[in-house]
């Protein structure tokens, strides 16, 4: 059931109360709840968590809605806003109760190239929104930060899981990663600032019939288009590798060097090779969708953006690290699948220009 503040806000907004047998909760860093109310409304209510983000997140989402509603858009869709309270971090939209996510379709192989093309068009429209600079100034995101890739504070170390420590050990022994992040942030700061979602994942793209609906606009701001484009590409990369089940492969823990075969390859080494082999096959299957995404994007956003594709690949690499960081925070080890994802992320981050064509991004 919704917490007392959400329930009170919805009631005061005139929507009545949630019917208990219709209530659905959704995972995430914020409190997300949906259901049908006694007034017959299908509502999705979000309460933003985190004292520093409560008001800012809801205000950013409302700012996007105001700016986008005043412009003629053919492809970009978002949930219909109904009510909000920045002080309490509550944002209410219409609930698309029969939808599923683009992540679901990518996972089961049904996200067709035409759907990817439409997602590209939607992002192209977002990045082409006519917005005065004073209304949407450039606002840098805190991550990636090359400093934490070189050293952790004592508090960060103490709060890290064993899985995170394993990942930090890999990252901090590789100075090329931190240097590549530093270069990426410099390139990002020099790129043209456009309206960006800034926190895009495929589970935030809802498939509602034949429409794609982009949600979760709490990080909306002025920034580099490559961050959004790279996030979509990174999602395909991540799901190409992590879509392989962990339980199929041995742990990469203390016994990782054991059970070498006649050629001297350990079980962990064989697991890594198999993960990468399957990941390559899955990525090859996803390449038509990535190409269609890039073509759809450029069919709408015609403004020149030199180096966009290279920056997007680098952001895709960081996106993999970000996703592995999130997963490792709740693990006692770093699985072979997540080690492989971190390796793919490193390659994209350190040598992005080499992978523009491989990932079907020539059109960008």
């Amino acid at each position: 059931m919704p917490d007392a503040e959400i329930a009170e806000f919805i009631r005061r907004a005139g929507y009545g109360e949630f019917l208990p047998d219709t209530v659905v909760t959704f995972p995430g860093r914020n409190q997300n709840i949906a259901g049908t109310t006694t007034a017959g409304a299908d509502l999705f209510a979000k309460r933003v968590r985190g004292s520093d983000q409560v008001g800012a997140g809801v205000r950013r989402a409302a700012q996007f809605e105001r700016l986008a509603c005043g412009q003629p858009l053919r492809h970009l869709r978002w949930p219909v806003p109904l009510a909000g309270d920045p002080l309490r971090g509550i944002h209410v939209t219409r609930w698309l109760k029969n939808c599923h996510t683009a992540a679901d379709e990518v996972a089961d192989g049904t996200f067709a190239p035409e759907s990817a093309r439409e997602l590209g068009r939607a992002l192209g429209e977002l990045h082409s929104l006519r917005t005065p600079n004073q209304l949407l100034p450039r606002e840098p995101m805190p991550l990636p930060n090359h400093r934490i890739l070189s050293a952790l504070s004592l508090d960060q170390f103490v709060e890290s899981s064993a899985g995170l420590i394993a990942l930090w050990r890999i990252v901090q022994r590789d100075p090329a990663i931190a240097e590549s992040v530093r270069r990426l942030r410099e390139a990002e700061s020099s790129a043209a600032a456009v309206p960006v979602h800034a926190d895009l994942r495929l589970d935030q793209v809802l498939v509602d019939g034949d429409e794609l609906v982009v949600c979760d606009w709490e990080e909306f701001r002025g920034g580099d288009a490559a961050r959004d484009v790279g996030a979509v590409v990174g999602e395909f990369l991540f799901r190409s590798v992590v879509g392989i089940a962990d339980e199929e492969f041995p742990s990469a823990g203390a016994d990782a060097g054991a059970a070498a075969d006649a050629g001297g390859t350990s079980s962990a080494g064989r697991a890594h090779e198999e993960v990468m082999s399957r990941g390559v096959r899955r990525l090859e299957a996803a390449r038509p969708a990535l190409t269609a995404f890039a073509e759809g994007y450029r069919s709408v956003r015609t403004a020149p953006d030199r180096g966009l594709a290279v920056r997007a690949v680098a952001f895709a690499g960081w996106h993999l690290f970000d996703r592995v960081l999130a997963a490792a925070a709740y693990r006692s080890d770093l699985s072979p699948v997540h080690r492989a994802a971190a390796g793919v992320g490193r390659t994209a981050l350190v040598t992005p220009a080499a992978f523009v064509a491989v990932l079907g991004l020539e059109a960008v």
Side-chain angles (χ1 to χ4, degrees), residues 206-222:
L206 307 180
V207 182
D208 184 34
D210 59 356
E211 286 191 344
L212 298 181
V213 181
V214 182
C215 60
D216 295 345
W217 293 91
E218 288 82 13
E219 296 295 345
F220 176 68
R221 64 191 64 208

Side-chain angles (χ1 to χ4, degrees), residues 69-250:
C69 283
Q71 303 194 36
L73 300 174
R74 296 178 54 199
H75 306 286
L76 183 60
R77 301 285 184 270
W78 59 95
V80 176
L82 298 175
D85 183 347
L87 293 179
R88 289 189 284 184
I90 298 174
H91 190 230
V92 180
T93 61
R94 182 176 298 161
W95 178 29
L96 304 175
K97 60 194 303 184
N98 296 316
C99 71
H100 56 278
T101 72
D104 296 330
E105 292 198 354
V106 170
D108 61 23
T110 60
F111 193 67
E114 189 51 42
S115 295
R117 191 182 308 277
E118 185 61 16
L119 179 57
R121 293 174 183 136
L123 270 191
E125 279 195 329
L126 170 64
H127 297 163
S128 302
L129 285 176
R130 297 185 300 276
T131 308
N133 289 337
Q134 65 270 22
L135 293 182
L136 195 67
R138 182 188 291 272
E139 190 178 354
M141 294 286 287
L143 294 175
N145 183 338
H146 70 277
R147 290 184 176 84
I148 65 169
L149 301 179
S150 302
L152 297 177
S153 69
L154 179 59
D155 287 344
Q156 287 172 323
F157 178 81
V158 170
E159 294 172 1
S160 293
S161 67
L164 270 179
I165 295 299
L167 181 59
W168 289 128
R169 186 177 296 117
I170 292 171
V171 169
Q172 292 181 359
R173 289 175 177 173
D174 189 346
I177 295 176
E179 175 59 21
S180 297
V181 166
R182 186 191 64 77
R183 290 199 306 267
L184 175 60
R185 293 310 299 260
E186 286 184 355
E188 178 188 26
S189 67
S190 300
V194 299
V196 295
H197 184 285
D199 188 30
L200 192 60
R201 300 187 307 273
L202 290 179
D203 54 12
Q204 295 166 326
V205 179
L206 307 180
V207 182
D208 184 34
D210 59 356
E211 286 191 344
L212 298 181
V213 181
V214 182
C215 60
D216 295 345
W217 293 91
E218 288 82 13
E219 296 295 345
F220 176 68
R221 64 191 64 208
D224 184 3
R227 186 177 282 270
D228 285 348
V229 175
V232 173
V233 176
E235 282 283 273
F236 275 92
L237 283 172
F238 182 75
R239 293 176 187 280
S240 292
V241 177
V242 179
I244 302 165
D246 278 347
E247 60 268 18
E248 295 182 39
F249 303 99

